[in-house]
Structures are given as structure tokens and as C-alpha cells.
Amino acid sequence: MNKAILIGRLTRDPEVRYTQSGTAVCTFTLAVDRRFARKDANDGQPTADFIPIVVWSKLAEICGNNLVKGRRISVEGRIQVRSYDAQDGTKRYVTEIVASEVEFLDSKGAAPQAGGFGAPAPAPAAPSDGFGPSIPDEEIPF
């Protein structure tokens, strides 16, 4: 069985494109907290994984029209590994989630909660939503 369920925040606004046949495809990256801090980190701060998400068809258009950086969502789908040949002739592999369901977990106009990704967090207080500390925009690798 190949099934993935993730909850996190968008690291940037989604990008919607259309195939030659007119099918919508939306891509974005989801920042998902890990429950435990990395052992090799000196500061003991929790870390996050940045997971690429791909959404197709009508759901892609809905995501493109309603999601923005910082929105908290849940994604259900399957893990897909694909490969392509880069311009330098090397083979590259991409692992991503192909979403079949996307649920918006906060309202469209609501600012991200303190302690969530993309929102400033108060000084070292415990996160309010249970998903770890805030990561400043400058530290998100995109």
C-alpha cells in the first residue's frame, strides 16, 4: 500500500500550470515538523522536512486559487519517485507526494498561528499548535 498523510504549512505560494492537453497541475512545498529534535543539532530545536506536493485537475485549480504561503493544510496521497535526465546528462531522481485530497485547516484570511511555519514565534515559548517552532522566512531553503 502506498499512502501518505501529511499536515504542514506551505513554504511558498502554489504554482499552477497547464499541460498541452489543458489539464491543470499545481505544485507547492509543504513544511512538515518532525516530532523530535535532531540529535546532532546543538540548539535542540525541532526540524522540519520540506515535501514537494503535486496536485492534478480540478483540485489543482482549487489549490491554486485558495492557498498561499503559510496556510496550514493536510494532504493525502501517494509517494511517487520519478527520474529525468538533467542537461548535464546525469540522471536525477525526484520524490514527491501526488495528492488525491487536500484539506484547508485554517481560514483563507487568517494569519498563520504563532509557532507555525512562516509566522514569527514568541521567544522560546512552547508552540501553541503542537507542530513545533516558527522558522523565519530567511531560513526556508526556497
Side-chain angles (χ1 to χ4, degrees):
M1 179 187 310
N2 181 355
K3 188 170 193 169
I5 301 172
L6 302 170
I7 295 175
R9 293 195 183 272
L10 273 72
T11 61
R12 58 184 165 83
D13 289 346
E15 185 176 317
V16 179
R17 294 185 177 162
Y18 292 87
T19 64
Q20 290 180 346
S21 63
T23 303
V25 59
C26 179
T27 58
F28 54 88
T29 302
L30 198 64
V32 179
D33 275 346
R34 292 187 189 174
R35 285 192 178 264
F36 303 100
R38 291 189 331 214
K39 293 181 193 264
D40 61 338
N42 294 333
D43 56 8
Q45 291 293 320
T47 59
D49 293 305
F50 299 91
I51 313 292
I53 309 293
V54 179
V55 187
W56 290 90
S57 301
K58 183 67 175 168
L59 186 55
E61 293 176 341
I62 292 169
C63 289
N65 291 332
N66 294 289
L67 294 178
V68 293
K69 178 181 178 177
R71 286 283 307 262
R72 187 167 172 252
I73 64 169
S74 72
V75 172
E76 184 174 330
R78 63 182 171 83
I79 300 171
Q80 172 178 282
V81 179
R82 60 183 171 85
S83 64
Y84 65 94
D85 293 323
Q87 290 180 348
D88 62 2
T90 61
K91 188 168 210 119
R92 304 277 173 95
Y93 293 91
V94 177
T95 302
E96 58 200 2
I97 303 297
V98 178
S100 57
E101 294 183 34
V102 176
E103 185 175 340
F104 305 162
L105 299 178
D106 56 9
S107 62
K108 186 174 186 176
Q113 295 293 317
F117 291 103
S128 61
D129 63 4
F131 286 100
S134 164
I135 295 179
D137 288 344
E138 305 84 49
E139 292 183 23
I140 296 177
F142 315 115

